Amino acid sequence: MNRPRVDALTELEREIDAPGDGLDRLRLVPTPFVPEVRLHLAEDAIVWWARMEASAGHTLPPPFWASAWAGGQALARHLLDHPDLAAGRRVLDLAAGSGLVAIAAALAGARQVVANDVDPYAVAAVTVNARANRVHVQASHQDLLDDDGTQADLLVAGDVLYDRELAVRVLPYLRRAADGGAQVLVGDPDRGHLPPDVLEVVASYPVPTTEPSVDSPVRRVQVLRPR
């Protein structure tokens, strides 16, 4: 069951150590809106993806982990600016991608941090990025969205509402987690898939965009919680 993660981790470590500085390389860089956290990000995620698929000879999951998405940046900034939200608590980062929010929670003093993602490359990215920031984050490769809730004290989720189909699954899970006693925080740049009156605004940030195919260098991102 763990074989895909092991293979992805080995491959990602090989990519990190490979020489070269083209658009298809990974670089360890400070996150624009959260410079306290460094991540292994693609210079151009689409170019990197194309090369990796050509090398593998089959399709690979979109490398969402290879960009610092606006929702995650806002959420990580919020945790570092308000460390009491995570300090001493059990934190679950849902659909963690690069692990940015999980790493911010660990830096804020969380007692335990689990970063969850269904993509084995994201799980590998969490591992190498946590290592680069000298924090301990447990990486989990499970689909949690049909579970009844979570054992975490704080559930954080950045950019989990990027399409309608996913939002239909994610929002009930967040509701169940909140009803079970977890504090839930969501980072969302208003991609248009959030029904009205489900979440309320906690904070708002102007976040530099690094993900591919965006039409603005800055996005207004809200940190939200269930009503």
Side-chain angles (χ1 to χ4, degrees), residues 94-148:
L94 181 69
S98 66
L100 168 60
V101 186
I103 291 166
L107 291 173
R111 174 162 59 92
Q112 178 189 64
V113 183
V114 176
N116 170 260
D117 204 291
V118 296
D119 178 3
Y121 281 90
V123 174
V126 167
T127 301
V128 296
N129 287 332
R131 186 189 303 159
N133 289 277
R134 300 182 180 182
V135 295
H136 178 71
V137 174
Q138 179 185 339
S140 165
H141 181 215
Q142 294 175 282
D143 187 340
L144 302 178
L145 296 182
D146 293 325
D147 289 359
D148 291 337

Side-chain angles (χ1 to χ4, degrees), residues 25-29 32 39-43 65-68 98 210:
R25 307 311 319 172
L26 298 177
R27 292 188 176 89
L28 181 62
V29 294
L39 299 173
H40 291 94
L41 301 178
E43 181 71 15
W65 56 267
S67 301
S98 66
T210 64

Side-chain angles (χ1 to χ4, degrees), residues 15-69:
E15 282 289 302
I16 289 168
D17 292 336
D21 58 358
L23 290 177
D24 63 341
R25 307 311 319 172
L26 298 177
R27 292 188 176 89
L28 181 62
V29 294
T31 308
F33 200 55
V34 197
E36 300 95 323
V37 178
R38 297 188 303 159
L39 299 173
H40 291 94
L41 301 178
E43 181 71 15
D44 187 312
I46 302 301
V47 174
W48 185 89
W49 187 22
R51 178 174 63 79
M52 293 300 289
E53 286 196 326
S55 176
H58 57 81
T59 59
L60 296 173
F64 296 130
W65 56 267
S67 301
W69 294 81

